[in-house]
């Protein structure tokens, strides 16, 4: 077996690849709203042009409001301050226009729903922004109503709402527990991952099937065209295309 000492001095040793996300620990979280970032005239034109291309490819794409992550501050008392600003989906085009460190990240929530068959995951339907990609039920966080604060109670409510909209499973927001906080290593997107009380796998299958029928009749179609149950890390590796955070979240969940 070769060792580092056996390598020629001129040979470069590649650094280990950084994982897509990192886990953050904090004894408290504070959300501080900031002004929406200002775009140059050129950036605004390019964002609008790229959005037109996106909607031409997928007319169902909606330029809805979202919470953008502008960064984190650590006051020194063990807490984290999340700096955020209201934006819309079209501004994700900045990922193609700016260096990664200058792009506002996303703020999103997920719900880890345990069953006797494993954790529930869903595959994005063709009408979504990530068709064919497996992820936990969840989605981008929307700004609170005018005059209302963005806080952990609002994050839990959003996670509970995403869960019922995508799977049909209703869970009281107060029953959700923040299980992990992740930050993307490329754009700094923040993921708030909530653990739900366990449910029956048969019940989840039935509720999702009923929801899919209702959504199909309404013409919107299901957000998740298929659900699956992941009982182990090995099974997770057989899913195929997944959200970037999912392998690390599964690794922590199944090895905890």
């Amino acid at each position: 077996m070769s060792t580092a000492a056996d390598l020629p001095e001129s040979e470069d040793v590649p650094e280990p690849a950084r994982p897509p996300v990192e886990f953050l620990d904090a004894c408290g979280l504070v959300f501080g709203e900031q002004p929406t970032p200002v775009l140059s005239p050129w950036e605004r034109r390019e964002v609008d042009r790229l959005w037109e291309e996106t909607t031409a490819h997928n007319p169902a794409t909606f330029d809805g409001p979202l919470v953008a992550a502008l960064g984190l501050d650590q006051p020194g008392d063990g807490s984290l301050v999340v700096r955020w600003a209201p934006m819309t989906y079209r501004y994700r085009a900045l990922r193609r226009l700016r260096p990664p460190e200058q792009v506002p990240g996303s703020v999103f929530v997920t719900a880890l729903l345990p069953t006797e068959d494993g954790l529930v995951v869903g595959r994005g339907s063709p009408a979504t922004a990530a068709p064919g990609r497996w992820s936990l039920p969840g989605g981008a966080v929307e700004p609170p109503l005018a005059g209302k604060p963005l806080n952990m109670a609002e994050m839990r409510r959003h996670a509970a709402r995403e869960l019922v909209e995508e799977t049909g499973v209703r869970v009281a927001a107060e029953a959700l527990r923040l299980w992990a906080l992740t930050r993307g290593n490329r754009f700094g997107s923040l993921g708030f991952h909530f653990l739900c009380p366990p449910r029956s796998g048969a019940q989840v299958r039935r509720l999702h099937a009923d929801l899919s029928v209702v959504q199909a009749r309404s013409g919107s179609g299901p957000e998740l065209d298929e659900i699956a149950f992941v009982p182990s890390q090995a099974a997770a590796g057989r899913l195929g295309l997944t959200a970037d955070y999912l392998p690390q979240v599964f690794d922590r969940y199944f090895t905890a």
Side-chain angles (χ1 to χ4, degrees):
M1 178 183 294
S2 296
T3 66
D6 297 325
L7 297 173
E9 292 184 357
S10 59
E11 184 171 342
D12 293 329
V13 179
E15 296 184 1
R18 293 178 71 193
V21 302
E22 61 177 320
F23 289 91
L24 303 175
D25 295 314
C27 63
L29 286 163
V30 179
F31 296 83
E33 183 175 0
Q34 306 288 309
T36 300
V38 177
L39 273 59
S40 70
W42 175 80
E43 286 178 325
R44 186 171 295 279
R45 288 193 300 270
E46 285 298 294
V47 165
D48 291 343
R49 181 183 65 81
L50 291 169
W51 179 252
E52 290 178 1
E53 290 182 1
T54 298
T55 53
H57 178 70
N58 186 354
T61 306
F62 174 58
D63 190 25
L66 55 76
V67 170
L70 303 185
L72 292 172
D73 296 322
Q74 296 177 296
D77 58 358
S79 65
L80 288 176
V81 178
V82 178
R83 289 183 281 109
W84 69 275
M87 300 186 78
T88 65
Y89 276 90
R90 73 172 58 210
Y91 291 99
R92 285 182 173 175
L94 289 174
R95 297 177 179 185
R96 298 171 59 181
L97 305 176
R98 290 182 177 181
E101 65 274 9
Q102 297 178 19
V103 176
S106 301
V107 176
F108 66 95
V109 292
T110 73
L112 287 83
L113 181 60
T115 74
E116 75 279 9
D117 299 321
L119 279 179
V120 178
V121 293
R123 186 178 65 186
S125 71
T128 64
R133 188 180 70 179
W134 291 92
S135 65
L136 295 169
V141 174
E142 298 179 3
L145 297 175
K148 299 291 184 179
L150 181 65
N151 52 29
M152 287 306 299
E154 182 67 19
M155 302 293 279
R156 284 193 294 270
R157 285 193 291 270
H158 197 84
R161 185 165 61 247
E162 291 286 342
L163 181 63
V164 71
E165 289 178 354
E166 294 188 349
T167 68
V169 177
R170 294 186 180 276
V171 175
E174 296 76 16
L176 300 181
R177 176 176 65 85
L178 182 62
W179 176 81
L181 172 62
T182 59
R183 175 171 59 183
N185 281 322
R186 189 175 184 196
F187 300 115
S189 295
L190 298 176
F192 292 77
H193 308 280
F194 292 92
L195 184 62
C196 305
R199 287 293 184 94
S200 157
Q203 181 189 46
V204 175
R205 291 183 180 90
R206 177 178 58 79
L207 289 172
H208 178 257
D210 292 346
L211 175 66
S212 297
V213 170
V214 172
Q215 291 175 328
R217 287 175 178 171
S218 69
S220 61
E223 293 187 49
L224 303 178
D225 61 11
E226 185 176 339
I227 61 170
F229 299 82
V230 179
S232 65
Q233 181 69 8
R238 296 192 290 269
L239 283 173
L241 179 64
T242 69
D244 60 356
Y245 65 82
L246 200 55
Q248 287 174 255
V249 166
F250 276 149
D251 183 63
R252 172 174 279 208
Y253 181 85
F254 289 116
T255 58

